[in-house]
Amino acid sequence: LLSGLLVHGLHYKSPGKLLAAHMDNPYGYYENYNVMKQNNYWLEEQHKSWDILNMTTSPTNSSIVVGGFSLHRSCSKEPCTVTEASKLFRNRTYFTYRNAAISHYNKKSNVPWIMKEPRLCFTMNMWRP
């Protein structure tokens, strides 16, 4: 809802290919396809997905405890264990989706822009240079 208001009401850009609207969200998600695909790669490296992160709430202070997903580790930043799955991610196309997304967001014609991508809560460190 907020993304749609920013795009249509305040003329922000949501650049690149977007996830299509569908029955659950007929107005669209305003989520960049390439950002979503790159984030999924990074989650899958650690055998996670957007809905399987092994998160719990700490019984002592209500903070989020991330079980198994490392916010700072990725094959993009450091060597990782090469499994059959990670071989796929470490090949020449590893950054294809990231580079495509960045090229859209860096265009002056796409300013001001918004980026709605829930997985960024976990992968933001991996996007930084």
Side-chain angles (χ1 to χ4, degrees):
L1 180 64
L2 178 58
S3 298
L5 291 172
L6 289 170
V7 168
H8 296 291
L10 298 176
H11 307 290
Y12 276 70
K13 310 289 189 307
S14 189
K17 179 181 176 183
L18 301 179
L19 296 181
H22 92 15
M23 192 174 8
D24 291 339
N25 192 340
Y27 298 109
Y29 293 92
Y30 297 92
E31 294 176 21
N32 182 288
Y33 174 82
N34 291 311
V35 175
M36 182 263 312
K37 287 294 284 185
Q38 187 67 60
N39 285 334
N40 279 343
Y41 274 175
W42 285 327
L43 290 170
E44 288 168 7
E45 280 180 345
Q46 297 183 36
H47 310 288
K48 308 295 179 205
S49 68
W50 70 270
D51 59 342
I52 302 172
L53 292 170
N54 295 338
M55 291 176 23
T56 59
T57 304
S58 170
T60 57
N61 62 12
S62 299
S63 64
I64 293 177
V65 177
V66 182
F69 182 77
S70 170
L71 301 177
H72 306 287
R73 186 184 71 77
S74 168
C75 293
S76 69
K77 298 289 185 192
E78 62 185 47
C80 59
T81 304
V82 178
T83 63
E84 287 305 310
S86 66
K87 284 179 189 176
L88 175 69
F89 305 122
R90 294 185 65 165
N91 68 16
R92 295 174 64 197
T93 61
Y94 186 80
F95 290 111
T96 300
Y97 293 110
R98 181 197 71 170
N99 294 343
I102 289 171
S103 72
H104 288 291
Y105 285 95
N106 281 340
K107 289 181 183 173
K108 288 183 181 182
S109 61
N110 288 330
V111 174
W113 54 260
I114 62 165
M115 182 185 291
K116 176 188 170 208
E117 171 48 21
R119 295 159 192 85
L120 284 172
C121 294
F122 298 98
T123 63
M124 183 57 92
N125 284 338
M126 298 169 193
W127 283 87
R128 291 194 222 157

